[in-house]
Amino acid sequence: MKKTLSLILALILCLGCCMTLASCDEQDDGKYTVGVIQLVAHPALDAATEGFVDALKAKLGEENVVIDIQNAANSTDTCATIANTFVTKKVDLIMANATPALQAAYNATTTIPILGTSVTEYGVALGIENFSGTVGTNVSGTSDLASLDNQAQMILDLFPEAQKVGMLYCSSEANSDYQVKKVSQYLTAKGITCTNYEFSDSNDVSTVTQKAAAECDVIYIPTDNTAAACAQTIYGAMGDNKKPIIAGEAGICGGCGVATLSISYYDLGYKTGEMAADILSGAADIQTMPIAYAPKETKSYNPAICADLGIDTAALEAAGYVPLS
């Protein structure tokens, strides 16, 4: 009986070891699993995700990384659901593309490394006062913030007769509010009247845009995900009362803007992918990794909309502007 019992115990222990080994093999197959939360599909965010994926594959090897890309269709609730799913799956790293995606991931885990991209200001996004440039937790990433003072100065340089500037943006995006405040401060100090025109979501974009176009000389739109997704709607909503729009990024400018101080979102995403590769390979510690920025800014103009509004593109090129690519 003792021999039989010993044999049974031995078999149980052996089976347990085999199951443990099988589990380890399944979880540690030599591949890194990365979850991507993209807030919404539009050119800037799409380019950032593409750059991120390309960098990860280039740095780690395509055969060594599994990338699960999920689109939240511009829903903060869906961002949270995706983030929690990635945490349950125990992915090795989460890339959060846009501020609401970053906030969802930040609220979902304190242990899995999180890299943001297409995020304007991390202190604002994460509620960090006196932000120093390094989050210091499991979060880092890249910022799409181009110089706000230089964007404001573009309005003064291109439209020196303008007296009223409308700030058109989504009220639910904290980073948009941050940009608008900074640009308004700069313009107000120059004697320009700035008025906010806030829409809550895509449903009231047209109505708010019509009001801004009727009351202002120029419109400014910051890097705003809802505006980016509705850029063509914004331009169409102005009808016969079209006003020039200075945009915070190239995607918005391509749909409704005259000019922008642009960055490459592909390059921004690529930089984020390089950071991810360093974290996953152990070459860098995310807790000490500062937020990175786009390597350069480019003054760009939209030839089609400039032609529609009768704006002299030769003068723009003489001032250093290049056509949107």
Side-chain angles (χ1 to χ4, degrees):
M1 181 66 179
K2 288 183 179 180
K3 288 184 178 180
T4 302
L5 182 59
S6 298
L7 181 60
I8 292 172
L9 289 172
L11 287 170
I12 291 173
L13 289 171
C14 182
L15 180 61
C17 289
C18 290
M19 290 176 67
T20 301
L21 288 172
S23 176
C24 289
D25 287 341
E26 183 177 322
Q27 293 178 8
D28 187 12
D29 57 2
K31 293 185 178 182
Y32 300 105
T33 302
V34 175
V36 174
I37 311 170
Q38 181 172 323
L39 174 64
V40 66
H42 67 65
L45 300 191
D46 293 346
T49 294
E50 181 183 0
F52 177 80
V53 170
D54 286 352
L56 262 187
K57 290 180 178 179
K59 293 273 287 185
L60 298 178
E62 186 170 355
E63 70 282 2
N64 295 322
V65 60
V66 176
I67 305 173
D68 184 359
I69 302 173
Q70 297 292 325
N71 191 304
N74 209 22
S75 166
T76 55
D77 290 340
T78 304
C79 283
T81 299
I82 295 169
N84 289 326
T85 299
F86 285 156
V87 171
T88 300
K89 290 182 176 180
K90 298 181 180 179
V91 298
D92 297 304
L93 183 142
I94 295 173
M95 192 279 266
N97 193 348
T99 299
L102 174 69
Q103 292 168 330
Y106 180 73
N107 290 330
T109 178
T110 58
T111 55
I112 296 173
I114 300 167
L115 286 177
T117 196
S118 312
V119 174
T120 304
E121 217 288 328
Y122 282 72
V124 172
L126 302 179
I128 303 172
E129 294 185 6
N130 302 316
F131 182 57
S132 66
T134 302
V135 178
T137 62
N138 62 320
V139 177
S140 187
T142 55
S143 168
D144 62 358
L145 182 64
S147 169
L148 295 173
D149 285 356
N150 290 342
Q151 290 180 50
Q153 187 60 43
M154 287 171 63
I155 297 173
L156 301 176
D157 292 341
L158 296 180
F159 308 103
E161 303 300 320
Q163 293 297 312
K164 297 180 180 179
V165 176
M167 303 289 164
L168 183 64
Y169 67 103
C170 181
S171 58
S172 63
E173 297 193 30
N175 279 314
S176 297
D177 184 64
Y178 169 81
Q179 294 169 80
V180 162
K181 285 179 179 177
K182 292 293 184 181
V183 171
S184 294
Q185 287 172 2
Y186 187 95
L187 293 175
T188 300
K190 303 290 185 179
I192 304 298
T193 299
C194 298
T195 304
N196 291 353
Y197 295 88
E198 305 173 17
F199 48 85
S200 57
D201 54 35
S202 60
N203 293 320
D204 57 346
V205 165
S206 293
T207 302
V208 176
T209 298
Q210 289 168 5
K211 182 174 174 60
E215 297 176 352
C216 298
D217 303 314
V218 179
I219 294 172
Y220 171 74
I221 303 177
T223 56
D224 182 293
N225 292 295
T226 306
C230 299
Q232 293 182 341
T233 300
I234 288 171
Y235 192 64
M238 290 190 287
D240 295 331
N241 195 29
K242 289 184 173 64
K243 299 294 173 64
I245 292 174
I246 299 299
E249 56 94 3
I252 296 173
C253 189
C256 64
V258 165
T260 182
L261 187 64
S262 65
I263 64 168
S264 167
Y265 276 81
Y266 177 87
D267 291 348
L268 195 71
Y270 199 94
K271 174 62 179 178
T272 314
E274 291 179 328
M275 294 166 72
D278 287 343
I279 293 166
L280 291 170
S281 66
D285 180 1
I286 193 169
Q287 295 187 48
T288 61
M289 182 178 281
I291 302 303
Y293 294 82
K296 70 173 186 175
E297 300 171 346
T298 303
K299 292 193 293 185
S300 305
Y301 71 90
N302 184 330
I305 291 183
C306 283
D308 192 26
L309 298 181
I311 294 173
D312 184 3
T313 57
L316 289 176
E317 292 187 5
Y321 287 78
V322 299
L324 283 174
S325 55

